[in-house]
Amino acid sequence: IKNILIVTAVFLCFAALARPQYGFKWVEVKRKGIDILFALDTSKSMLAEDIKPNRLERAHYAILDFVRQLEGDRVGLMPFAGSAFLMCPLTLDYSAFEHSLSAVTADIIPQGGTDIATVINTAATTLNNAANHKILILITDGENLQGDAIEAAAKGAEKGLTIYTVGV
């Protein structure tokens, strides 16, 4: 009887470790995360080689380092120069985002210059959802040649957009 009890106890321990379950239960989870939109300056001045290899490539590396640390937040990509367009919509697919980022060059926007106001207005339109936090990370070498960026930033803030500027 002692041996049978020991074997039964060991068997029941393994059965408990297997966590047998009966049936299933559907649980609907509503999730609100952070929406992060990267606005990357692709003007010709980003090709300056004052940092190696150049400003644009260094910005690529910084964005990739940042995105690889995220878990579950949506990211998007908006290259800009004299105009802006949404190249990668907000997504949880980080590999698709990285693929879009690798395609960004200084020739992707045909209109030259740097128009920060346009990119802020376009980002505010893009980030018009009900996310908890809407963040625009503006990566540029800092020279605004067109538009009123201060006014556009104020209008974006009214819509709940948080803007961070990163100088390269």
Side-chain angles (χ1 to χ4, degrees):
I1 293 178
K2 182 178 179 181
N3 288 338
I4 292 173
L5 288 174
I6 291 174
V7 170
T8 304
V10 170
F11 173 76
L12 291 175
C13 285
F14 282 117
L17 287 174
R19 294 186 56 198
Q21 298 177 7
Y22 177 75
F24 61 90
K25 179 180 178 183
W26 290 99
V27 177
E28 183 175 330
V29 177
K30 291 186 179 183
R31 185 164 176 243
K32 286 180 146 183
I34 299 174
D35 287 346
I36 303 170
L37 184 62
F38 291 95
L40 179 58
D41 187 354
T42 59
S43 61
K44 300 295 183 198
S45 63
M46 292 292 284
L47 296 177
E49 294 184 355
D50 51 351
I51 54 176
K52 296 293 179 191
N54 61 37
R55 294 175 183 173
L56 187 59
E57 288 298 317
R58 185 57 60 188
H60 282 198
Y61 297 146
I63 292 171
L64 286 176
D65 288 344
F66 185 85
V67 169
R68 288 181 180 147
Q69 295 178 13
L70 296 177
E71 294 178 5
D73 298 319
R74 297 190 313 168
V75 293
L77 179 64
M78 181 179 294
F80 74 97
S83 62
F85 75 96
L86 185 63
M87 184 171 186
C88 178
L90 293 169
T91 182
L92 291 169
D93 187 357
Y94 297 143
S95 62
F97 175 83
E98 290 178 13
H99 183 69
S100 295
L101 181 63
S102 67
V104 174
T105 64
D107 299 327
I108 200 163
I109 305 286
Q111 184 177 357
T114 302
D115 191 355
I116 294 175
T118 297
V119 74
I120 292 173
N121 291 331
T122 307
T125 303
T126 302
L127 295 171
N128 61 357
N129 55 16
N132 283 343
H133 300 286
K134 298 176 270 191
I135 297 175
L136 171 65
I137 299 178
L138 188 64
I139 302 169
T140 182
D141 55 2
E143 191 172 347
N144 184 28
L145 300 175
Q146 304 163 0
D148 187 4
I150 302 295
E151 181 182 329
K155 287 180 182 176
E158 289 173 4
K159 295 180 181 178
L161 183 64
T162 304
I163 302 170
Y164 294 99
T165 303
V166 178
V168 183

